[in-house]
């Protein structure tokens, strides 16, 4: 049995992901289509929220992935710092824009859902606010990657930023909770999503979540491959110029 | 260490700019707020703690890229790195110098600006206390950001993007202490949280800043 660390070899990584990528993408597509169609057309309307509840099939999975993408970046950054596998750093870099887009989807669908439900597009509710801060973290992380020319330096610095950022993201989450306690908070804001979901909604939601996870994996694989190939091309060009 | 601190302080005072600029910026932000939201006294009283905190935070932010930039340009940062002092110590001293030259004047001048914004009487001591306890965290976090961006040509804008989300918890608890103090409520919990953040960042973040600086100097 091969060790997991063998995939730190870019050639091996590309070969393996090339083999599994079509399957993962196809599976992601199937899950998303099945989950969304099932969710949108074959579930009853919620008795309180009407048909607006159906946005849950986009909102919950994207919010989940927005947080998990950062978690994955944290793990990948740790692997880079400890074992210095380049693929790991590149995977972290590849995940950041995907995570940022997931955050935007979650915020946007939340706003679209919140407008008819709470009568407002945006409320300074702890959950919403911490997501906005998470989005800022993604922006800073990506900007730092772009700003530094040397690849290894960029990987090192962004890895440390990711570690520090994770601590502060958790801290912000609790700080924001605390901050809003003294302020006005409508009862509808504390609406617990877990309780809200009956079995009819639950299964298509699970399929959608699976679809989003697979989509995320596929995108990260693809973007990491692209990054590896771009680096190769750059190395080849540099060699040609020297020769 | 003390020599380094004195050197930084002297440079800050003599070079001008950095020292008074933060204060002037704080004053300008505070003066602009009534123009923006209207001169209604009750409203100003209500928002004064938060506005003063944001003003202090922005003034702090303004001077961050000076922490390492000048030393980086003239090469003295490389000399410091080879000095017997550990990098963590250098970073801490730099943060302390930044706090003494930028944040401390803000803390001292905040009550005067509080007058301008019609801050209620009991709010003054708590405003000063919250700033005094919270601004060290701002300096330490800012030093981390400055260390991250030290080698970059246009690091200033990036620096604010990186540092602002990290400032959020400090701002929340700091402004909360000032607000509760102004309204005569119990301030113990946010005050302890604020102190916790300050001490926590002071204890841990210099290691991250030093690591980042070593990478940048490599």
């Amino acid at each position: 049995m091969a060790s997991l660390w063998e995939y730190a070899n870019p050639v091996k990584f590309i070969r393996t992901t090339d083999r599994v990528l079509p399957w993962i993408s196809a599976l992601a597509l199937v899950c998303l289509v099945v989950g969304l169609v099932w969710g949108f057309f074959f579930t009853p309307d919620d008795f309180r929220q009407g048909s607006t509840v159906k946005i849950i099939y986009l909102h919950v999975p994207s919010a989940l992935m927005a947080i998990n993408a950062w978690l994955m970046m944290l793990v990948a950054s740790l692997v880079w710092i400890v074992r210095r596998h380049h693929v790991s750093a590149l995977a972290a870099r590849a995940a950041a824009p995907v995570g940022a887009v997931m955050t935007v989807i979650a915020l946007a669908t939340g706003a679209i859902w919140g407008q008819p439900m709470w009568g407002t597009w945006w409320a300074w509710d702890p959950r919403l606010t911490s997501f906005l801060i998470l989005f800022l973290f993604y922006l800073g992380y990506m900007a730092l990657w772009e700003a530094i020319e040397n690849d290894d330096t960029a990987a090192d610095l962004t890895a440390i930023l990711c570690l520090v950022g994770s601590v502060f993201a958790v801290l912000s989450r609790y700080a924001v909770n605390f901050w809003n306690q003294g302020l006005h908070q409508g009862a509808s804001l504390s609406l617990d999503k877990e309780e809200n979901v009956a079995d009819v909604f639950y299964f298509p939601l699970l399929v959608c979540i699976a679809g989003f996870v697979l989509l995320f994996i596929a995108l990260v694989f693809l973007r990491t491959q692209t990054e590896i190939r771009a680096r190769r091309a750059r190395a080849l060009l540099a060699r040609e110029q020297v020769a | 260490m003390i020599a380094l601190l004195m050197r930084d302080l002297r440079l800050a005072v003599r070079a001008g700019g950095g020292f008074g600029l933060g204060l002037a910026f704080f004053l300008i932000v505070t003066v602009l707020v009534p123009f923006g939201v209207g001169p209604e006294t009750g409203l100003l009283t209500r928002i004064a703690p938060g506005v003063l905190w944001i003003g202090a935070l922005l003034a702090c932010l303004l001077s961050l890229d000076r922490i390492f930039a000048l030393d980086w340009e003239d090469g003295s940062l490389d000399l410091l790195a080879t000095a017997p002092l550990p990098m963590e110590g250098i970073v801490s001293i730099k943060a302390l110098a930044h706090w003494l030259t930028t944040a401390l004047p803000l803390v001292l001048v905040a009550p005067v600006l509080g007058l301008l914004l019609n801050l209620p009487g009991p709010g003054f001591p708590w405003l000063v206390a919250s700033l005094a306890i919270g601004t060290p965290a701002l300096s330490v976090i800012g030093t981390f950001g400055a260390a991250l961006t030290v080698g970059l040509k246009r690091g200033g804008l990036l620096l604010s993007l990186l540092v602002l989300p990290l400032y959020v918890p400090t701002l929340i608890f700091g402004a909360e202490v000032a607000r509760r103090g102004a309204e005569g409520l119990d301030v113990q919990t946010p005050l302890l949280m604020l102190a916790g953040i300050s001490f926590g960042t002071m204890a841990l973040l210099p290691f991250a800043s030093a690591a980042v600086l070593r990478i940048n100097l490599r």
Side-chain angles (χ1 to χ4, degrees):
Chain A
M1 184 57 200
S3 144
L4 180 66
W5 302 114
E6 276 185 26
Y7 295 99
N9 177 347
V11 179
K12 178 126 194 193
F13 176 84
I14 287 203
R15 208 183 301 143
T16 315
T17 47
D18 259 346
R19 220 176 301 143
V20 295
L21 197 53
W23 294 98
I24 294 181
S25 323
L27 208 57
L29 194 69
V30 170
C31 279
L32 282 177
V33 168
V34 168
L36 291 178
V37 170
W38 186 0
F40 281 136
F41 298 111
F42 297 102
T43 55
D45 290 353
D46 186 72
F47 72 98
R48 254 182 309 162
Q49 309 204 17
S51 58
T52 50
V53 76
K54 289 181 174 176
I55 206 164
I56 199 174
Y57 302 113
L58 285 173
H59 183 67
V60 172
S62 59
L64 202 72
M65 287 322 293
I67 295 169
N68 285 347
W70 187 274
L71 204 65
M72 181 237 135
M73 282 157 57
L74 174 64
V75 173
S77 301
L78 276 173
V79 171
W80 161 252
I81 290 178
V82 176
R83 299 202 62 155
R84 308 200 75 76
H85 292 313
H86 283 84
V87 173
S88 176
L90 291 182
R93 179 181 193 172
V98 185
V101 170
M102 292 288 181
T103 316
V104 172
I105 295 178
L107 286 172
T109 52
I112 295 168
W113 193 6
Q115 211 285 324
M117 287 305 104
W118 305 337
T120 169
W121 295 100
W122 179 259
W124 289 97
D125 170 77
R127 274 192 188 183
L128 277 62
T129 314
S130 49
F131 251 73
L132 197 61
I133 297 168
L134 182 66
F135 181 60
L136 289 180
F137 274 119
Y138 275 122
L139 284 187
Y141 181 87
M142 288 189 288
L144 190 63
W145 261 113
E146 294 304 320
I148 303 166
E149 277 149 33
N150 185 308
D151 284 329
D152 277 4
T153 311
D156 279 331
L157 294 182
T158 50
I160 294 177
L161 177 68
C162 185
L163 299 190
V164 174
S166 302
V167 176
F168 276 88
V170 174
L171 200 60
S172 305
R173 183 70 187 83
Y174 288 105
V176 158
N177 253 345
F178 172 88
W179 162 66
N180 212 14
Q181 260 178 12
L183 295 175
H184 166 78
Q185 184 173 359
S188 60
L189 297 190
S190 61
L191 157 146
D192 195 331
K193 295 194 173 98
E194 264 33 305
E195 280 175 11
N196 229 21
V197 181
D199 274 1
V200 223
F201 303 118
Y202 192 59
F203 294 111
L205 184 60
L206 276 189
V207 178
C208 278
I209 290 176
F212 265 79
V213 172
L214 288 168
L215 177 69
F216 174 73
I217 295 174
L219 285 174
V220 169
F221 275 178
L222 193 67
R223 288 182 52 85
T224 313
Q225 280 191 358
T226 314
E227 198 64 43
I228 293 173
R229 290 190 170 125
R231 274 199 189 189
R232 266 190 205 157
R234 240 181 296 149
L236 284 176
L237 281 177
R239 206 182 300 165
E240 262 179 21
Q241 271 168 359
V242 170
Chain B
M1 282 179 104
I2 292 173
L4 178 60
L5 180 64
M6 293 316 289
R7 167 183 171 274
D8 269 17
L9 292 182
R10 259 201 310 274
L11 277 178
V13 174
R14 284 195 195 148
F19 194 59
L21 205 63
L23 279 178
F25 185 77
F26 191 25
L27 175 68
I28 287 169
V29 170
T30 314
V31 169
L32 282 181
V33 166
F35 290 120
V37 302
E40 192 193 326
T41 321
L43 180 65
L44 285 180
T45 303
R46 205 143 34 86
I47 62 173
V51 167
L52 290 170
W53 249 92
I54 291 175
L57 187 149
L58 290 177
C60 246
L61 192 67
L62 195 68
S63 53
L64 284 183
D65 60 344
R66 297 173 57 92
I67 295 182
F68 293 117
L70 296 176
D71 287 351
W72 166 268
E73 275 164 18
D74 64 9
S76 45
L77 200 57
D78 295 285
L79 286 179
L80 284 176
T82 54
L85 200 59
M87 194 66 99
E88 284 79 3
I90 295 172
V91 170
S92 307
I93 291 296
K94 286 281 185 185
L96 179 62
H98 176 262
W99 185 75
L100 285 175
T101 54
T102 311
L104 192 60
L106 295 180
V107 177
L108 296 178
V109 87
V112 183
L113 298 183
L115 277 178
L116 285 179
L117 289 182
N118 214 29
L119 189 73
F124 283 93
W126 290 118
L127 175 73
V128 174
S130 69
L131 281 172
I133 295 172
T135 44
L138 299 185
S139 286
V140 175
I141 296 169
T143 310
F144 172 68
L148 266 179
T149 54
V150 69
L152 299 175
K153 282 183 196 72
R154 277 165 285 117
L157 262 171
L158 180 63
L159 178 62
S160 47
L161 178 62
L162 293 175
V163 164
L164 275 181
L166 301 178
Y167 273 177
V168 168
T170 318
L171 174 66
I172 288 175
F173 289 118
E176 185 74 9
V177 171
R179 189 184 67 83
R180 287 196 184 187
E183 290 176 10
L185 299 170
D186 180 32
V187 296
Q188 194 190 5
T189 319
L191 197 64
L192 288 178
M193 295 297 286
L194 187 66
I197 291 176
S198 263
F199 287 126
T201 50
M202 273 190 257
L204 296 175
L205 220 47
F207 293 98
S209 313
V212 158
L213 211 52
R214 277 193 210 103
I215 293 165
N216 265 333
L217 287 172
R218 197 167 54 196

